[in-house]
Amino acid sequence: MSSIKAWQVQATSRFAEVGLLSPQTDARELLKFVLRLDDTALFLSSDREVSETQAAQLLALIDARAARIPLQHLLDEVEWGGVRLKSDGRALIPRPETEWLLHLALEALHGTVNPRVLDVGTGTGALALGIKFARSDAAVTATDISTEALALAQENATLNGLDVQFVQADLFRGISGSFDLIVSNPPYLPDTDQHSADPEVRHDPDLALYAGADGLSVARPLLAQVRAVLAQAGSTVGGVLLLELDPRNAPTLAAEARTLGAEAEVLPDLAGRERFVRVSWPTPALRT
Ligand SMILES: C[S@@+](CC[C@H](N)C(=O)[O-])C[C@H]1O[C@@H](n2cnc3c(N)ncnc32)[C@H](O)[C@@H]1O
């Protein structure tokens, strides 16, 4: 038997040895998870002994994390955008930068009533559930091409008690109705990034990450098709598309949107990188 403090030291040094970026945080999160303690209780109980059962569980989790299984896959759930999300190999681990896309989406919905929102490529359901949590009056639909991701997103909707309609679809195929706001964090990395991906990123599905030579093989057809599903006159938002992209290709997609007659603006993430594109049409979109 060893104390919590001893486990913390041991796990941190093991994680540092294998090159984890935040060894101390990872060690603390695993201890909190196994011992069911919050930050303060963990700190105040550092001399407490860990039971044999807890020690066995900790050993297994420390081995898994040292083997570069993502922390989010080892914990029961993660907090993201105000909701709790279970995360596993079925879908992309929701990223912190996407919380800013959620913020931009909620900003776009400000002052609206009963908006209709579509999240294309929902993964764990992060954006759709974050929007529904903040805006209970919104009718939120979420799609994904992956049935596995949709199953996880549905589990997450149940976990949070939120009512979102999930539909399996390749982009907008089979989607009926029109939407005031469409959000999407599509796969956007150039295929060549696969060679340099961190070990943890290899636990995300390739389908969620890579999109052709320039990373736009999903976003480009999405942009081409979006007008047909954006709301016409009478929309409370005016028919807006908000996309998360890679700083290497967001300006390209915005320029392509302008050639289609749209207004397009590149917006920075919190680190100042050109990550988001806001697309709207100056006149109400016509159904095609
Ligand atoms: C980068 S992940 C984003 C997941 C989630 N929205 C998030 O922000 O955490 C992209 C998602 O798009 C889905 N996807 C890829 N191609 C698609 C397509 N053609 N139509 C619909 N979804 C697609 C993937 O399965 C994946 O779940």
Side-chain angles (χ1 to χ4, degrees), residues 80 90-95 98 119-127 143-146 149 169-172 184-188 207-209 218 244:
W80 186 95
R90 289 176 287 175
L92 184 98
I93 295 168
R95 305 294 204 260
T98 309
D119 173 20
V120 179
T122 197
T124 55
L127 281 165
T143 70
D144 208 289
I145 200 167
S146 157
D170 179 355
L171 296 179
F172 303 108
S184 184
N185 173 21
Y188 57 61
L207 186 63
L209 293 170
V218 177
E244 176 176 328

Side-chain angles (χ1 to χ4, degrees), residues 210-274:
Y210 304 108
D214 63 358
L216 291 175
S217 71
V218 177
R220 198 171 271 128
L222 190 158
L223 175 68
Q225 295 167 30
V226 75
R227 248 188 125 176
V229 280
L230 271 181
Q232 305 177 54
S235 151
T236 47
V237 185
V240 170
L241 167 67
L242 279 172
L243 284 172
E244 176 176 328
L245 290 170
D246 188 282
R248 290 168 291 178
N249 53 35
T252 308
L253 195 90
E256 291 180 13
R258 286 180 208 114
T259 67
L260 297 174
E263 286 171 358
E265 194 185 354
V266 180
L267 303 165
D269 63 18
L270 286 173
R273 290 169 299 210
E274 297 185 303

Side-chain angles (χ1 to χ4, degrees), residues 87-284:
S87 175
D88 59 33
R90 289 176 287 175
L92 184 98
I93 295 168
R95 305 294 204 260
E97 49 268 39
T98 309
E99 285 185 315
W100 196 247
L101 180 60
L102 171 63
H103 166 81
L104 294 173
L106 295 175
E107 202 173 62
L109 294 176
H110 190 70
T112 64
V113 180
N114 303 326
R116 296 154 298 175
V117 181
L118 177 65
D119 173 20
V120 179
T122 197
T124 55
L127 281 165
L129 296 171
I131 290 170
K132 184 66 187 176
F133 174 71
R135 286 295 304 262
S136 57
D137 65 326
V140 182
T141 303
T143 70
D144 208 289
I145 200 167
S146 157
T147 46
E148 287 195 321
L150 281 174
L152 177 59
Q154 182 59 67
E155 287 169 30
N156 280 328
T158 306
L159 179 69
N160 289 279
L162 293 171
D163 181 19
V164 166
Q165 192 196 356
F166 294 104
V167 182
Q168 201 231 340
D170 179 355
L171 296 179
F172 303 108
R173 197 170 296 158
I175 299 296
S176 56
S178 60
F179 297 90
D180 302 304
L181 174 68
I182 297 177
V183 290
S184 184
N185 173 21
Y188 57 61
L189 296 177
D191 287 343
T192 46
D193 278 15
Q194 289 186 45
H195 309 303
S196 53
D198 286 339
E200 283 83 355
V201 173
R202 299 201 186 109
H203 291 268
D204 286 320
D206 283 354
L207 186 63
L209 293 170
Y210 304 108
D214 63 358
L216 291 175
S217 71
V218 177
R220 198 171 271 128
L222 190 158
L223 175 68
Q225 295 167 30
V226 75
R227 248 188 125 176
V229 280
L230 271 181
Q232 305 177 54
S235 151
T236 47
V237 185
V240 170
L241 167 67
L242 279 172
L243 284 172
E244 176 176 328
L245 290 170
D246 188 282
R248 290 168 291 178
N249 53 35
T252 308
L253 195 90
E256 291 180 13
R258 286 180 208 114
T259 67
L260 297 174
E263 286 171 358
E265 194 185 354
V266 180
L267 303 165
D269 63 18
L270 286 173
R273 290 169 299 210
E274 297 185 303
R275 187 170 294 283
F276 307 106
V277 180
R278 184 185 194 281
V279 183
S280 61
W281 271 265
T283 51

